[in-house]
Amino acid sequence: MYYLKCLLAVIVLTTTIANAQEKIATDLLIVGGGASGTTAAIQASRMGVKTIVVEETEWLGGMLTSAGVSAIDGNHQLPSGLWAEFRQKLYDYYGGPTAVETGWVSNTLFEPSVGNKILKELATHQQLNIWYKSKWSRVERHGDKWRVYVTRNSKQYVIECKILLDATELGDVMAAAGAKYTIGMDSRDQTGEEYAPEKANNIIQDLTYVVVLKDYGKNVDKTIPKPKGYDPSVFEHSCDVADPASNDATPIIDCSKMITYGKLPNNKYMINWPKNGNDIYLNIIEMGTEKRLETLKEAKLHTLRFVYYLQTAMGFKNLGIADDEFPTKDKLPMIPYHRESRRVNALTSLTLPYVSKPYEQIHAYYRTGVVVGDYTIDHHHLKNPEAPAIDFVKIKVPAYNVPLGSLISNSVKGLVVAEKSIGVSNIVAGATRLQPVVLGIGQAAGALAAIAIQKSIDPENVNVRDVQTALLNSNAYLMPFIDVKPQDSNFKAIQRIGTTGILKGTGISYKWANQMWFYPHHFISEADFVSGMRLYYPQLADLAASGKDLDIGFFNEVLAKAGSPKDRSTILKDLHQLQEENNQTKSNTIKRGELAVLLDRYLHPFDRQIDFNGDLLESNNPKINK
């Protein structure tokens, strides 16, 4: 009888708690309003999907804003989708591109508070509801839906959704949902990366508690109280600003250049300095919330020590902690800058060979690309002597794209993964972690989730081409072609043909902004054209092709063998129209950009379905425009 009473009491208590929790239904729930969570929400809501974002702070933007890393790394020549919209808003606010080129580390620098305001403006949509200062506690799978338990304004809610999107800084939601993941460095046997260590380990990149300083005037002393544990010797080599990517190893000692590294508009300075600066090694990924907060006190203290060093040893006493940026008591950012997270075991794992030589691998991951990046492989390990000695500067890569399958867990249904937790190797994560790439990851994740919801299917069953089309319609890049911008009338056609591999890009490792060129105004030989076409049209296997430049005569012959014969006069008319539109001299010889448009118009090879490896699905025939 006693046990029966206890059981009844538990049932009554559980029922009471459940009834006290208000239930909310939505199509898409995004946990984390950081860089990727924000763009995912904007993209999904614009596609008509009812979306809720649960965000712990009162800001949007995560590392861009709440963490204070308001100096964009990379993608300056790849203005893709929502990244381009955000950048244009910054241009409009500050007065043009040159107004945000204030620091030498980036082409785009801004005040974190301004970035937050702009992102909130972009995220205004009738289908989007953002819950600020809200915390999730657990996630549960019930049938084909998720239930996420959230506290908001001291009230308990249960949010039920069709698709759950993890945009947290450290991949906490996917871990709670039961997704398999990896932390730390992979072994070279796991990834086939020659630069990876021989044995795997759990070492992650250094994190940083950024601080924004403001110039209060040369006669004003804003020196902070001496922080506990201050040791000036820790920072004494912080003025070394030598470029590690340079062949010249001569130290460059320039304290003013170190300060202006992250100079922001309105005489503010982002302090995010790796060399004997405020980087620190702390692996808090698997810690609970309270333990994380306690551990991060040391990161804050380390940054304050560096500030004190700048003000005293270096004489920058006029630079004080900005009092008009972050809504925090100590005026430091709300969150630290995490360079590394859990990495989901995904349908597709992007490793270094697929980044460095995308066209030479067993699978054509580039065909499934949904995000582009051009920044080099950049890892911060200076504060951890246990980290294997890897010379990341020697890892040369071109501009690249991220495959759609990297956003989909291979172990949990109904889950989309964003931010820095996508399926990439540890080495590749050193490039995909950068701000414009993460913004693009979010936009792709939002499109993927929206299509899965609209078609009532799991993300792993979504047609890759559907997601890519949605992104193209939002002016996002699929292929990182530096020389064809979204405002180009042929942009979409060239992007579509680029993802087929019929016409390939030329990748170049170039300083801190790598490249991939399409060369739309270059000619192509008959042999190179046919070589690409044979990937989709095996009936061309025996077609003889010379090394001469492609002209409409041979092009017409190829069309006929591919099953879409055209009248020569039609081809000539279309070609000359393209040449006229691009201010080119009329000719019968076809350039690469013109060829992409004609292939897209006549054969539609992009419509040929592919799997998440980029392999062609033989059951689907290409649509022919006869």
Side-chain angles (χ1 to χ4, degrees):
M1 181 63 71
Y2 172 77
Y3 291 106
L4 181 58
K5 288 182 178 179
C6 288
L7 178 60
L8 289 172
V10 169
I11 293 173
V12 170
L13 179 61
T14 303
T15 303
T16 301
I17 293 174
N19 289 337
Q21 295 170 329
E22 184 177 341
K23 295 182 179 179
I24 304 291
T26 189
D27 293 330
L28 172 63
L29 175 60
I30 300 171
V31 181
S36 66
T38 302
T39 51
I42 294 169
Q43 179 68 28
S45 60
R46 288 180 180 181
M47 291 175 67
V49 169
K50 185 178 179 182
T51 303
I52 293 177
V53 176
V54 171
E55 164 56 31
E56 289 193 12
T57 74
E58 57 194 273
W59 279 20
L60 290 181
M63 64 173 165
L64 287 166
T65 59
S66 303
V69 192
S70 54
I72 300 297
D73 293 302
N75 281 33
H76 183 64
Q77 295 296 329
L78 294 173
S80 180
L82 287 169
W83 150 234
E85 288 189 43
F86 174 68
R87 187 178 69 173
Q88 186 57 53
K89 291 282 188 181
L90 289 171
Y91 289 171
D92 295 343
Y93 179 87
Y94 285 109
T98 58
V100 295
E101 293 178 359
T102 47
W104 57 267
V105 74
S106 171
N107 298 102
T108 308
L109 301 101
F110 54 94
E111 295 157 284
S113 57
V114 172
N116 166 59
K117 292 175 183 177
I118 288 174
L119 289 173
K120 285 185 174 180
E121 178 184 338
L122 288 172
T124 302
H125 195 281
Q126 61 182 2
Q127 293 282 38
L128 177 56
N129 190 357
I130 301 174
W131 290 20
Y132 297 103
K133 294 186 176 181
S134 301
K135 294 184 179 181
W136 68 281
S137 57
R138 72 180 193 271
V139 299
E140 297 174 353
R141 185 74 166 162
H142 290 268
D144 61 352
K145 293 185 179 181
W146 290 97
R147 289 178 189 168
V148 180
Y149 294 77
V150 178
T151 302
R152 183 191 190 196
N153 296 329
S154 301
K155 187 174 181 180
Q156 305 297 311
Y157 296 86
V158 179
I159 303 178
E160 188 172 82
C161 61
K162 298 175 182 177
I163 297 291
L164 178 61
L165 198 157
D166 183 354
T168 58
E169 295 293 323
L170 297 175
D172 292 332
V173 168
M174 72 175 191
K180 296 178 181 179
Y181 58 85
T182 302
I183 295 176
M185 294 181 169
D186 315 290
S187 73
R188 67 187 63 159
D189 290 337
Q190 290 173 307
T191 62
E193 298 169 323
E194 62 176 307
Y195 293 97
E198 185 176 347
K199 294 183 179 180
N201 59 60
N202 66 350
I203 295 174
I204 65 169
Q205 292 192 59
D206 302 340
L207 63 77
T208 307
Y209 227 105
V210 174
V211 61
V212 174
L213 303 181
K214 183 168 70 172
D215 189 346
Y216 286 88
K218 64 180 181 179
N219 296 321
V220 178
D221 187 348
K222 298 296 291 186
T223 303
I224 63 174
K226 184 177 180 180
K228 179 182 178 181
Y230 173 70
D231 178 1
S233 66
V234 173
F235 310 108
E236 64 183 7
H237 297 294
S238 56
C239 289
D240 179 2
V241 293
D243 184 352
S246 172
N247 294 324
D248 186 357
T250 305
I252 300 174
I253 310 303
D254 188 338
C255 295
S256 63
K257 190 171 183 181
M258 183 273 291
I259 285 289
T260 58
Y261 163 89
K263 185 178 181 181
L264 309 179
N266 294 320
N267 291 316
K268 293 177 182 176
Y269 300 83
M270 179 197 73
I271 306 299
N272 174 27
W273 189 249
K275 295 182 180 180
N276 302 102
N278 52 333
D279 276 13
I280 187 171
Y281 184 77
L282 294 172
N283 189 342
I284 67 171
I285 293 176
E286 296 280 54
M287 294 180 182
T289 301
E290 296 304 318
K291 183 67 179 297
R292 283 179 179 175
L293 292 175
E294 184 64 28
T295 304
L296 286 171
K297 288 181 180 179
E298 178 59 26
K300 283 189 175 185
L301 190 57
H302 181 64
T303 290
L304 291 175
R305 293 169 186 150
F306 188 44
V307 170
Y308 186 76
Y309 180 83
L310 296 177
Q311 294 172 326
T312 56
M314 289 192 183
F316 294 109
K317 65 180 182 179
N318 56 305
L319 299 184
I321 299 175
D323 57 6
D324 55 352
E325 280 300 324
F326 306 105
T328 54
K329 185 177 180 180
D330 57 13
K331 299 305 176 182
L332 293 178
M334 289 85 92
I335 62 173
Y337 176 30
H338 298 285
R339 292 184 177 86
E340 198 160 326
S341 170
R342 299 175 175 91
R343 302 189 307 281
V344 70
N345 291 2
L347 297 183
T348 304
S349 180
L350 183 64
T351 57
L352 187 59
Y354 282 92
V355 172
S356 58
K357 297 180 180 180
Y359 298 115
E360 300 177 20
Q361 308 308 318
I362 188 171
H363 296 301
Y365 288 169
Y366 68 88
R367 286 184 184 150
T368 73
V370 288
V371 186
V372 297
D374 66 8
Y375 206 73
T376 190
I377 304 288
D378 183 21
H379 282 241
H380 288 221
H381 288 294
L382 296 177
K383 292 300 176 72
N384 185 359
E386 301 300 319
I390 300 175
D391 190 350
F392 290 99
V393 174
K394 290 183 178 179
I395 304 177
K396 304 299 183 182
V397 298
Y400 62 91
N401 64 5
V402 177
L404 180 61
S406 291
L407 281 59
I408 305 172
S409 166
N410 65 9
S411 58
V412 175
K413 304 288 186 182
L415 176 68
V416 175
V417 179
E419 202 61 27
K420 304 177 190 74
S421 301
I422 62 172
V424 296
S425 70
N426 169 263
I427 285 180
V428 172
T432 57
R433 69 177 176 84
L434 281 311
Q435 304 100 316
V437 182
V438 175
L439 289 170
I441 288 169
Q443 186 165 11
L448 169 63
I451 290 171
I453 289 166
Q454 290 165 343
K455 293 184 178 291
S456 298
I457 56 178
D458 191 79
E460 69 177 8
N461 296 320
V462 165
N463 185 335
V464 174
R465 296 305 194 201
D466 287 347
V467 178
Q468 290 178 320
T469 298
L471 291 170
L472 280 178
N473 289 338
S474 299
N475 293 321
Y477 285 66
L478 308 177
M479 300 296 297
F481 298 148
I482 190 175
D483 49 350
V484 185
K485 307 299 184 189
Q487 57 267 31
D488 189 309
S489 60
N490 299 329
F491 174 77
K492 289 184 180 180
I494 289 174
Q495 286 284 312
R496 284 192 290 262
I497 296 302
T499 63
T500 67
I502 292 175
L503 298 179
K504 296 178 173 61
T506 299
I508 296 172
S509 176
Y510 182 74
K511 298 183 179 180
W512 290 93
N514 299 306
Q515 301 171 352
M516 182 173 284
W517 297 80
F518 183 75
Y519 297 127
H521 302 305
H522 286 200
F523 295 112
I524 184 172
S525 71
E526 293 178 356
D528 285 345
F529 171 48
V530 171
S531 175
M533 287 288 287
R534 285 172 179 153
L535 298 171
Y536 280 70
Y537 306 96
Q539 61 268 41
L540 300 177
D542 297 327
L543 179 65
S546 76
K548 65 179 289 190
D549 290 339
L550 177 68
D551 61 19
I552 62 169
F554 188 78
F555 178 67
N556 196 24
E557 183 179 348
V558 172
L559 287 181
K561 287 187 176 294
S564 181
K566 295 293 177 189
D567 182 77
R568 182 184 176 96
S569 62
T570 298
I571 300 174
L572 185 61
K573 179 182 177 182
D574 288 348
L575 176 61
H576 285 176
Q577 182 178 350
L578 287 171
Q579 292 168 341
E580 187 175 311
E581 290 172 354
N582 290 286
N583 297 316
Q584 301 291 317
T585 302
K586 290 183 180 180
S587 169
N588 288 359
T589 308
I590 306 173
K591 295 180 180 179
R592 285 170 53 87
E594 298 157 356
L595 178 58
V597 174
L598 296 176
L599 287 173
D600 188 60
R601 184 177 299 173
Y602 298 154
L603 292 177
H604 306 288
F606 179 81
D607 292 340
R608 182 79 167 268
Q609 289 190 32
I610 55 176
D611 63 20
F612 284 99
N613 287 326
D615 299 328
L616 296 172
L617 298 178
E618 295 303 325
S619 60
N620 296 283
N621 295 317
K623 298 176 183 178
I624 305 298
N625 181 20
K626 296 185 177 179

